[in-house]
């Protein structure tokens, strides 16, 4: 009993805390009873301070280990009791006996079991946290324990005991039942039943809070070691079967939607039913079973990628892209199959040209035969323009295909870089498959610059030209294109058929952006020539007016031979004997020109020119535009009395026009009905060396001004021209290869064969793709001509000889 | 930009000590601590910084203490509890008696011993250091009888892991070895403390060797802690 001190105060305890020896059994008996109360949820009757103090005393007096073991024992006994009393009655009998009840029974039974397990778990957690608090001083000591004895903390021990005595209870297989119930419920949900997520989530949470060992390593969660694998296995099985089912039941679009739905379901399941830890693994299962393993089959269905592409099913294609992206970052299946279809469509476009739906234009019969009929010439012209139409159709078809794939690429495929490359490759492939590709593209431009852009705004013209450039970019043989373009351009310029110089320049600057100045400099030179010629012609006329005026107006186009296609300026000059009035003008200009540019040589090309002549038939005057040759022919009749005639041979000796051109021009003048200025005897469609011609006095034409043309339109080349072109292309390419080899060797001095070839291909890639054989032949030729030599000792290395 | 004048150190100390004023003022108190006849109104948040004990005791729907947030500390003196709580507010505790507590203060040496024991039970290691330091200072005024009592309490409330305060005893004993040995009951009092006696002998060995046992021997206690004990 405390006695009162001198100032009426209570005396402090004479002795402080625990000075006596502590009897373990006595204190433990009190503690054990209290912990039992905690287990029976009667903690509110217990003083925490007293429990803590008692536990503290035991540890202070070095009974820590005994206390630890006793607590473990007590918790174990309690859990064993709980397993029997609370959990065992609710373990679904199916797990034990193997029988399967009805779905509802299964679901309700399962839910009850899960709820109970959840309750038991929560009780245990609460009790363990209270016991841990009471034994606070022990883990505090445990800091030393942990390093010395490797003893887990009180709480971890409690968790471990739960794992051993509840989950892994050797008698009742509670853990197995738990897995089975959760997996059953998930299976039911996958099949469309509604299940309650809460209890599963709680139990999963429990599994996540438990570990294989008391070291509590994160990769040894019971969830991972005991549940996840089983979940993955059953899921794999489920989705493998699902894939087969879907393949049989669904069309491609539906299949994709089902897969997407499954992926979302599994993602949600990881969030609200099981653990987010599993998300990557289960996603991988669905991806493997429903995408990787089957997508090719799905895409090959009738309703597969082919139909999606053909009908531009953006939504489906987009979904397809997203699903494939999940399993293959290169999207190879998609790339391959989409491009296969693209190439197929492209080849269809190509082959539809060869079997056009319209009645096939008759092939020009043997052009080398000079006796081609006039009607045939007209037909040939028709065929040529129909071929032009074909070229335009081809370009438009290809562009439509390109537009379509662009739309799909943009809207459905997220502008994927890899797919873009594959599409480009596919276009390149089929465009270059078509031998006439370069020519067609040039014809398309030609058509537009002549007629197609009439009445269009600047930006519309720009669009059209851009489209042409798009196709141009796909061409491998850009030099072939250049050749055709030069031909077409020269005809546009010389025949004054170009609609807009601005548009022409725009086109050239677009090409320049794509492949550089070297490619376009000659084209620009052609424009320069035209410009200078105009200046020169007007200056020439001015000068002439100062002196003795010529009797005719002369316009001259002076073409630099290297800029223009051989056809226009080539060495095959076709001179003729001009009538004096023309000859006078020719000489005057020649004099003027050589005085202006001394040292140059002028070659006159009458086959390229035209003349406006004035004629009168039966008092009716006409102004007729004819070729220069036709003019020469007609003027020859000026020296002949009315009614007289000239034979073919006469004309030939007067005009000196080469046979072929003479025949062609006489055909236009004497055979074609509406332009028959001359009559021919005998009347026939062919022009023969024995024919005789006279002025057709009865000629009439309602038009005052008209034109008599010879076949000179830009059109598809015939076979002979094709051969000529390809020969000259080959020659030209050889020259370019040689030039490249010399350029490279001059700079590098010595180089291995391999390296040289690589650099040559690199230098020429904007023009054409040189083949190995020709490069090798050119190198050999250069060695023969002693530009290069093999380095002694190493056969594969060359050196440059200065 | 505004600059704030730097506060001199004593201002900071004053600032801290003002915190002590809300201790037991009742203002916003959410916990009552009882010890013997004394009742203290305190704040869980502030105590919680130093010890988890009160928080654990009053966790919702838990033990008896959670019902009305009263924690009764038994087997500790009212002054020791008061000093412990004061420390939690201001980081130190006074030696002087609290006259408002209807229980006598602990004796000079025992004040610190008992704060130390409470600090150990409630796991506040810094307070143990302070208590040991204060005890060392108190031993400068030597009184053999209370030393013996203090010695026995410390040995009852600490174990071998608690070398800090035991070493304070050892140094004080070595320093005052003559008065201890002068006791008639020495042998009785120290029976059963062989471990301590052996350490004491080693401590006074240099004095025995030099044969001049002075009362000046003193180990720097701070140094002892600084060495990581």
């Amino acid at each position: 009993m405390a006695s009162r001190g001198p100032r009426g105060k209570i005396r402090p305890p004479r002795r402080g805390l625990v000075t006596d020896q502590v009897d373990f059994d006595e204190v433990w008996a009190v503690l054990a009873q209290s912990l039992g109360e905690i287990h029976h949820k009667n903690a509110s009757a217990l003083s925490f301070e007293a429990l803590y103090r008692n536990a503290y005393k035991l540890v202070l007096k070095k009974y820590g280990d005994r206390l630890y073991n006793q607590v473990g024992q007590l918790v174990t006994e309690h859990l064993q009791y709980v397993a029997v009393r609370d959990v065992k009655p609710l373990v679904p009998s199916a797990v034990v006996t193997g029988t399967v009840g009805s779905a509802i029974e299964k679901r309700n039974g399962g839910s009850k079991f899960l709820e109970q397990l959840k309750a038991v778990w929560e009780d245990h957690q609460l009790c363990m946290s209270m016991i841990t608090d009471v034994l606070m001083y022990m883990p505090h000591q445990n800091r030393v324990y942990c390093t010395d004895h490797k003893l887990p903390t009180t709480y971890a021990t409690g968790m471990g005991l739960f794992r051993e005595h509840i989950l892994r209870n050797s008698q009742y297989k509670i853990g197995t039942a738990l897995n089975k119930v959760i997996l059953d419920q998930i299976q039911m949900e996958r099949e469309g039943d509604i299940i309650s997520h809460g209890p599963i989530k709680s139990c999963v949470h429990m599994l996540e809070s438990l570990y294989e060992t008391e070291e509590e390593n994160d990769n040894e969660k019971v969830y991972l070691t005991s549940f996840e694998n089983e979940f993955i296995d059953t899921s794999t099985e489920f989705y493998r079967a699902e894939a087969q089912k879907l393949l049989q039941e669904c069309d491609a679009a539906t299949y994709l939607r089902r897969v997407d739905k499954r992926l979302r379901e599994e993602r949600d399941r990881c969030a609200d039913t099981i653990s987010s830890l599993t998300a990557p693994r289960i996603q991988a299962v669905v991806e493997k079973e429903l995408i990787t393993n089957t997508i090719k089959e799905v895409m090959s269905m009738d309703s597969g990628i082919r139909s999606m592409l053909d009908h531009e099913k953006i939504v489906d294609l987009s979904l397809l892209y997203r699903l494939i992206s999940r399993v293959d970052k290169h999207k190879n299946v998609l790339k391959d199959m989409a491009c296969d279809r693209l190439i197929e469509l492209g080849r269809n476009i190509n082959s539809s040209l060869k079997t056009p739906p319209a009645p096939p234009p008759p092939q020009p019969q043997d052009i080398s035969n000079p006796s081609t009929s006039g009607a045939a010439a007209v037909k040939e012209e028709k065929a040529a323009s129909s071929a032009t139409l074909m070229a335009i159709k081809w370009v438009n078809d290809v562009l439509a295909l390109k537009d379509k794939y662009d739309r799909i690429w943009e809207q459905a495929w997220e502008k994927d870089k890899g797919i873009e490359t594959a599409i480009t490759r596919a276009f390149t492939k089929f465009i270059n498959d078509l031998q006439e590709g370069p020519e067609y593209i040039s014809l398309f431009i030609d058509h537009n610059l002549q007629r197609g852009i009439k009445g269009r705004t600047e930006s519309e013209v720009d669009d059209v030209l851009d489209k042409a450039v798009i196709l141009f970019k796909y061409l491998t043989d850009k030099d072939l294109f250049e050749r055709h373009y030069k031909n077409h351009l020269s005809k546009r310029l010389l025949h004054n058929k170009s609609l807009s110089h601005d548009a022409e320049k725009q086109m050239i600057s677009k090409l320049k952006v794509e492949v550089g100045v070297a490619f376009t400099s000659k084209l620009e030179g052609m424009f320069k020539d035209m410009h200078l010629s105009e200046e020169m012609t007007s200056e020439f006329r001015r000068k002439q007016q100062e002196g003795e005026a010529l009797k005719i107006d002369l316009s001259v186009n002076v073409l630099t031979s290297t800029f223009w296609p051989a056809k226009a300026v080539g060495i095959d000059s076709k001179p003729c004997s001009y009538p004096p009035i023309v000859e006078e003008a020719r000489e005057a200009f020649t004099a003027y020109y050589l005085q202006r540019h001394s040292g140059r040589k002028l070659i006159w090309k009458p086959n390229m020119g035209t003349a406006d002549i004035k004629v009168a038939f039966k008092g009716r005057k006409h102004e007729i535009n004819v070729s220069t040759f036709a003019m020469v022919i007609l003027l020859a009749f000026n020296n002949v009395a009315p009614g007289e005639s000239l034979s073919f041979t006469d004309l030939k000796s007067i005009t000196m026009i080469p046979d072929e051109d003479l025949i062609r021009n006489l055909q236009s003048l004497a055979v074609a009905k509406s332009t028959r200025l001359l009559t021919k005897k005998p009347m026939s469609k062919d022009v023969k060396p024995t024919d005789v011609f006279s002025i057709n006095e009865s000629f009439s034409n309602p038009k005052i001004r008209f034109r008599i043309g010879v076949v000179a339109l830009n059109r598809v080349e015939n076979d002979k021209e094709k051969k000529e072109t390809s020969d000259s292309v080959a020659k030209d390419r050889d020259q370019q290869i040689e030039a490249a080899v010399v350029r490279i060797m001059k700079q590098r001095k010595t180089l291995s064969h391999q390296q040289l070839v690589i650099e040559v291909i690199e230098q020429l890639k904007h023009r054409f793709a040189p083949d190995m054989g020709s490069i090798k032949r050119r190198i050999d030729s250069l060695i023969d001509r002693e530009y290069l030599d093999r380095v002694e000792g190493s056969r594969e290395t060359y050196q440059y000889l200065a | 930009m505004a600059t704030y004048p730097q506060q001199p150190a004593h201002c900071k100390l004053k600032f801290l000590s003002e915190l002590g004023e809300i201790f037991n003022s009742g203002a916003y108190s959410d916990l009552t601590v009882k010890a013997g006849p004394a009742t203290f109104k305190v704040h869980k948040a502030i105590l919680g910084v130093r010890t988890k004990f009160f928080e654990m005791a009053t966790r919702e729907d838990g033990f008896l203490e959670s019902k009305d947030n009263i924690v009764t500390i038994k087997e500790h003196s009212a002054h020791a509890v008061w000093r412990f709580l004061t420390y939690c507010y201001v980081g130190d505790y006074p030696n002087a008696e609290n006259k408002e507590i209807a229980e006598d203060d602990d004796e000079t040496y025992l004040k610190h011993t008992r704060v130390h024991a409470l600090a150990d039970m409630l796991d506040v290691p810094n307070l143990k250091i302070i208590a040991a330091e204060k005890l060392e200072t108190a031993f400068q005024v030597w009184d053999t009888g209370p030393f013996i009592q203090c010695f026995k309490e410390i040995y009852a409330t600490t174990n071998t892991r608690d070398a800090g305060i035991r070493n304070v005893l050892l140094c004080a004993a070595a320093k005052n070895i003559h008065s201890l040995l002068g006791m008639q009951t020495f042998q009785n009092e120290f029976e059963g403390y062989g471990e301590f006696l052996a350490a004491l002998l080693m401590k006074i060995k240099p004095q025995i060797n030099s044969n001049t046992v002075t009362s000046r021997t003193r180990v720097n206690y701070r140094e002892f802690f600084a060495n990581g004990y």
Side-chain angles (χ1 to χ4, degrees):
Chain A
M1 252 217 159
S3 54
R4 300 254 155 199
R7 277 161 296 169
K9 282 193 177 182
I10 299 172
R11 286 247 183 90
R14 213 189 75 73
R15 319 203 68 174
L17 179 80
V18 230
T19 43
D20 301 319
Q21 287 302 306
V22 172
D23 178 34
F24 179 84
D25 292 330
E26 202 178 293
V27 178
W28 169 245
V30 176
L31 261 178
Q33 211 227 327
S34 300
L35 296 183
E37 292 295 324
I38 292 178
H39 275 137
H40 291 97
K41 304 185 183 177
N42 290 330
S44 64
L46 303 168
S47 160
F48 174 78
E49 189 267 350
L51 286 172
Y52 184 97
R53 183 158 36 81
N54 280 326
Y56 170 72
K57 278 187 203 168
L58 291 180
V59 177
L60 185 68
K61 292 300 166 191
K62 298 187 175 172
Y63 292 122
D65 286 348
R66 273 181 82 182
L67 177 60
Y68 179 89
N69 291 333
Q70 292 289 352
V71 170
Q73 185 64 32
L74 183 128
V75 172
T76 302
E77 279 164 18
H78 174 70
L79 287 174
Q80 283 168 339
Y81 171 69
V82 165
V84 178
R85 184 194 63 182
D86 299 332
V87 187
K88 180 198 154 199
L90 289 166
V91 172
S93 55
V95 180
V96 183
T97 64
T99 59
V100 181
S102 76
I104 297 172
E105 259 172 55
K106 222 165 142 185
R107 179 169 61 211
N108 292 348
S111 287
K112 268 186 203 150
F113 169 70
L114 293 175
E115 297 275 10
Q116 184 64 45
L117 200 54
K118 172 192 167 198
V120 166
W121 162 249
E122 280 170 359
D123 285 350
H124 181 67
Q125 270 185 309
L126 183 65
C127 291
M128 278 319 298
S129 79
M130 288 174 111
I131 293 173
T132 304
D133 282 355
V134 167
L135 301 181
M136 186 61 199
Y137 202 75
M138 208 151 68
H140 157 84
Q141 297 283 53
N142 273 350
R143 257 180 270 142
V144 184
Y145 273 16
C146 282
T147 48
D148 290 0
H149 305 280
K150 300 269 184 204
L151 275 182
T153 62
T154 317
Y155 194 81
T157 307
M159 296 301 112
L161 291 172
F162 188 88
R163 179 192 65 230
E164 291 310 315
H165 297 291
I166 300 287
L167 277 189
R168 306 245 162 101
N169 189 302
S170 52
Q171 235 176 319
Y172 308 122
K173 296 178 181 161
I174 294 166
T176 318
L178 175 63
N179 283 3
K180 177 91 174 81
V181 166
I182 295 179
L183 293 174
D184 275 355
Q185 301 250 330
I186 289 174
Q187 177 70 15
M188 282 190 262
E189 189 177 45
R190 279 180 182 152
E191 282 164 4
D193 277 348
I194 291 171
I195 60 162
S196 147
H197 296 146
I200 301 180
K201 185 76 192 167
S202 309
C203 288
V204 164
H205 198 75
M206 167 183 86
L207 294 176
E208 276 190 283
S209 314
L210 295 172
Y211 297 82
E212 281 302 313
T213 68
E214 272 60 77
E215 281 170 33
E216 307 202 334
N217 297 322
D218 268 347
N219 54 358
E220 287 184 343
K221 293 183 175 200
V222 169
Y223 175 81
L224 297 176
T225 56
S226 293
F227 175 76
E228 199 184 52
N229 288 334
E230 209 173 317
F231 172 71
I232 292 297
D233 289 348
T234 43
S235 299
T236 306
E237 217 170 287
F238 173 79
Y239 281 115
R240 191 163 294 161
E242 167 110 336
Q244 292 314 313
K245 205 179 91 188
L246 290 178
L247 280 174
Q248 280 168 14
E249 289 174 359
C250 305
D251 62 16
T254 316
Y255 183 96
L256 297 178
R257 283 185 177 75
R258 296 288 277 275
V259 175
D260 193 41
K261 185 159 164 263
R262 284 300 191 195
L263 283 166
R264 264 182 287 128
E265 280 172 8
E266 291 302 336
R267 190 194 59 209
D268 293 349
R269 178 165 296 120
C270 287
D272 60 25
T273 313
I274 57 171
S275 166
S276 55
L277 291 175
T278 306
R281 285 190 72 188
I282 185 64
Q283 297 281 329
V285 167
V286 181
E287 283 164 4
K288 178 159 182 279
E289 298 302 331
L290 294 188
I291 306 176
T292 312
N293 289 353
T294 48
I295 197 68
K296 208 158 178 180
E297 198 172 329
V298 175
M299 288 165 79
S300 312
M301 288 177 177
D302 289 342
S303 54
I305 184 157
R306 193 181 160 123
S307 147
M308 290 175 187
L309 288 171
D310 291 357
H311 299 102
E312 253 186 280
K313 302 269 192 197
I314 295 293
V315 178
D316 297 344
L317 288 168
S318 159
L319 182 55
L320 181 64
Y321 172 82
R322 277 186 286 120
L323 293 181
I324 289 179
S325 304
R326 301 179 75 109
V327 297
D328 175 13
K329 71 179 158 95
H330 301 299
K331 300 122 201 154
N332 283 330
V333 196
L334 180 60
K335 266 196 261 188
D336 291 350
M337 296 187 77
C339 289
D340 283 353
R341 180 57 182 156
L342 175 55
I343 291 172
E344 194 182 336
L345 290 172
R347 291 197 168 137
N348 286 349
I349 294 176
N350 288 353
S351 59
S352 77
L353 293 178
K354 285 167 187 135
T355 53
Q363 286 297 308
Q365 304 145 355
D366 196 2
I367 201 78
S368 56
N369 182 355
S371 61
T372 308
S373 72
V378 174
K379 269 185 197 162
E380 187 186 326
E381 193 157 337
K382 268 187 190 158
S385 71
S386 107
T388 303
L389 288 179
M390 228 190 285
I392 290 163
K393 180 177 178 297
W394 180 78
V395 170
N396 280 332
D397 285 354
V398 173
L399 284 175
L401 190 59
K402 164 84 177 145
D403 281 349
K404 178 178 180 165
Y405 267 71
D406 275 352
R407 278 195 300 276
I408 293 173
W409 175 72
E410 235 177 81
Q411 294 166 21
W413 294 340
E414 300 172 10
K415 301 189 178 182
D416 187 279
K417 284 272 175 272
I419 295 182
E420 187 182 26
T421 314
I423 290 179
T424 303
R425 231 186 351 255
F427 271 101
T428 308
K429 196 166 168 56
F430 80 78
I431 286 179
N432 287 295
D433 268 0
L434 184 74
Q435 212 188 337
E436 293 89 352
E439 189 182 356
Y440 279 3
I441 295 171
S442 177
L443 267 177
F444 171 80
I445 298 171
D446 185 57
H447 167 79
N448 275 296
L449 291 177
Q450 277 192 37
R451 286 181 287 269
I453 58 171
K454 209 168 196 171
R456 300 210 196 174
T457 67
E458 222 170 277
S459 74
E460 281 170 343
V461 172
D462 204 48
D463 283 350
V464 170
L465 299 183
D466 275 342
K467 282 180 173 177
V469 171
I470 290 171
L471 295 191
F472 167 74
K473 279 198 269 189
Y474 291 129
L475 285 180
T476 320
D477 296 333
K478 294 197 168 62
D479 59 339
L480 279 182
F481 171 84
E482 188 195 5
R483 191 170 284 268
H484 289 292
Y485 194 83
K486 251 161 90 172
N487 273 334
H488 295 152
L489 175 61
S490 80
K491 286 178 187 170
R492 282 204 298 281
L493 292 176
L494 295 178
H495 296 204
N496 218 1
K497 280 182 178 159
S498 181
L499 264 190
S500 150
H501 264 242
D502 283 349
E504 292 278 3
K505 289 216 167 107
Q506 224 175 319
M507 187 65 225
I508 286 175
S509 70
K510 280 179 199 300
L511 293 176
K512 198 193 280 182
V513 170
E514 288 308 321
V515 282
V517 186
F519 190 87
T520 53
S521 61
K522 287 184 183 175
L523 302 180
E524 283 173 332
M526 288 163 74
F527 278 98
K528 210 167 135 199
D529 278 350
M530 292 305 286
H531 184 68
L532 286 177
S533 301
E534 214 171 289
E535 264 183 23
M536 228 154 19
T537 302
S538 62
E539 199 191 67
F540 171 68
R541 282 185 186 166
R542 210 167 45 246
K543 287 209 166 150
Q544 287 300 314
Q545 274 159 12
E546 286 163 14
E548 198 182 334
L550 286 171
K551 296 197 179 60
I552 59 169
D553 288 338
L554 180 68
S555 295
V556 178
N557 290 325
V558 182
L559 314 180
T560 311
S561 61
T562 51
F563 293 163
W564 294 72
K567 268 183 200 160
V569 296
I571 33 160
D572 57 332
S573 161
K574 291 173 173 174
C576 67
S577 145
Y578 298 99
I581 184 172
V582 181
E583 182 63 20
E584 183 191 353
R586 189 179 81 95
E587 274 164 8
F589 184 83
T590 309
Y592 158 77
Y593 184 81
L594 293 178
Q595 172 229 328
R596 191 175 150 143
H597 303 284
S598 71
R600 288 196 189 170
K601 192 179 169 201
L602 273 180
I603 299 171
W604 290 79
K605 306 281 291 183
N607 57 326
M608 301 302 294
T610 63
D612 291 334
I613 55 169
K614 289 177 183 166
V615 295
F617 285 98
K618 295 184 283 185
R620 189 175 157 90
K621 283 187 176 171
H622 292 280
E623 225 172 80
I624 312 175
N625 178 270
V626 295
S627 73
T628 307
F629 281 146
M631 172 197 73
V632 172
I633 293 167
L634 289 172
L635 285 179
F637 285 92
N638 273 357
N639 301 327
V640 173
E644 297 270 318
S645 58
L646 290 170
S647 70
F648 182 85
T649 359
D650 293 340
L651 281 173
K652 194 180 161 189
S653 65
I654 294 170
T655 62
M656 309 283 282
I657 294 172
D659 281 3
E660 194 185 315
D661 292 280
L662 188 57
I663 291 170
R664 276 179 164 276
N665 280 286
L666 285 172
Q667 270 174 348
S668 313
L669 293 171
V671 177
K673 235 175 216 157
S674 59
T675 60
R676 203 181 292 159
L677 298 181
L678 301 177
T679 49
K680 183 169 79 77
K681 282 178 191 165
M683 279 284 277
S684 76
K685 286 188 172 176
D686 293 334
V687 175
K688 293 195 179 72
T690 51
D691 288 348
V692 172
F693 301 88
S694 57
I695 295 291
N696 177 11
E697 298 291 351
S698 60
F699 175 83
S700 75
N701 190 315
K703 286 185 197 154
I704 294 187
R705 297 168 64 98
F706 60 93
R707 186 175 154 255
I708 302 175
V710 283
V711 181
L713 282 172
N714 282 347
R715 51 174 178 85
V716 179
E717 292 180 326
N718 59 42
D719 291 343
K720 186 186 162 205
E721 285 170 314
K722 266 181 196 162
K723 191 173 180 319
E724 278 169 11
T725 307
S726 80
D727 286 351
S728 96
V729 164
K731 212 168 124 193
D732 195 40
R733 284 185 177 181
D734 283 351
Q735 281 172 7
Q736 293 204 38
I737 294 171
E738 276 189 7
V741 169
V742 171
R743 249 193 326 271
I744 293 163
M745 290 308 295
K746 193 169 181 179
Q747 189 197 349
R748 307 288 292 267
K749 304 302 181 209
T750 58
L751 209 56
S752 72
H753 177 78
Q754 194 62 23
Q755 197 63 35
L756 180 59
V757 168
I758 289 171
E759 292 202 18
V760 168
I761 291 175
E762 175 63 25
Q763 277 209 1
L764 297 175
K765 73 174 179 195
H766 281 312
R767 307 188 57 83
F768 62 97
D771 67 292
M772 294 303 217
S774 11
I775 297 177
K776 208 163 165 7
R777 276 195 298 280
R778 285 307 102 204
I779 293 174
D780 288 342
S781 157
L782 285 169
I783 291 172
D784 288 347
R785 285 178 281 156
E786 297 186 341
Y787 282 95
L788 302 181
D789 196 7
R790 294 183 203 280
V791 172
E792 256 178 76
S794 54
R795 275 171 51 86
E796 287 299 292
T797 309
Y798 307 113
Q799 61 183 352
Y800 181 70
L801 300 178
Chain B
M1 218 167 82
T3 53
Y4 298 97
Q6 194 163 10
Q7 289 192 343
H10 70 268
C11 285
K12 281 187 185 166
L13 284 179
K14 182 166 174 285
F15 178 85
L16 271 178
S17 71
E18 280 162 1
L19 197 57
E21 286 169 22
I22 71 158
F23 168 42
N24 218 13
S25 72
Y28 306 112
S29 163
D30 55 359
L31 177 69
T32 303
V33 174
K34 288 187 174 179
T39 299
F40 306 103
K41 295 280 185 190
V42 291
H43 308 83
K44 282 187 201 175
I46 289 177
L47 298 185
V49 179
R50 306 292 156 210
T51 172
K52 294 276 166 273
F53 177 82
F54 297 101
E55 193 189 317
M56 294 189 297
T58 57
R59 246 172 220 158
E60 239 175 296
D61 298 327
F63 294 95
L64 183 64
E65 284 88 342
S66 68
K67 276 190 200 160
D68 36 22
N69 282 309
I70 298 172
V71 175
T72 305
I73 295 178
K74 290 184 180 159
E75 298 187 21
H76 288 274
S77 77
H79 271 86
V81 172
W82 168 66
R83 289 195 171 99
F84 178 90
L85 295 173
T86 307
Y87 165 81
C88 289
Y89 280 82
V90 300
D92 197 1
Y93 66 84
N95 291 342
E97 179 183 7
N98 182 345
K99 297 249 161 39
E100 284 167 25
I101 295 176
E103 183 182 282
D104 282 336
D105 196 359
D106 302 306
E107 285 169 42
T108 324
Y109 296 157
L110 288 180
K111 279 177 194 175
H112 309 301
T113 313
R114 287 174 178 178
V115 169
H116 185 276
L118 189 54
D120 184 55
M121 181 170 112
L122 302 188
D123 193 17
V124 188
N126 280 340
L127 181 55
K128 284 164 75 178
I129 295 172
I130 290 174
E133 280 185 291
K134 285 183 185 265
L135 181 62
E136 190 187 25
T137 312
F139 280 148
Q140 284 171 4
V141 181
W142 183 255
D143 195 345
T144 310
F147 175 81
I148 300 291
Q149 199 194 351
C150 172
F151 168 82
K152 287 187 175 168
E153 254 196 56
I154 286 172
Y155 265 72
T157 56
T158 60
N159 60 37
T160 40
R161 297 185 198 284
D162 248 322
I165 198 161
R166 288 190 173 192
N167 203 48
V168 171
L169 287 177
L170 189 63
C171 293
K175 188 175 150 194
N176 299 289
I177 189 71
H178 288 294
S179 44
L180 282 176
L181 291 175
M183 283 165 57
Q184 297 235 319
T185 53
F186 179 83
Q187 207 174 340
N188 279 346
E189 298 288 6
F190 285 96
E191 203 177 328
Y193 296 99
E195 206 183 323
F196 174 77
L197 290 177
L200 184 58
L201 267 175
M202 289 307 290
K203 194 94 198 158
I204 62 172
K205 190 173 148 198
Q207 299 168 332
I208 298 167
N209 284 351
S210 66
N211 210 14
T212 49
V213 178
T214 68
S215 57
R216 292 253 163 86
T217 318
R218 188 169 177 236
V219 168
N220 189 327
Y221 184 68
R222 282 178 191 279
E223 207 173 76
F224 183 84
F225 275 104
N227 287 340
Y229 288 92

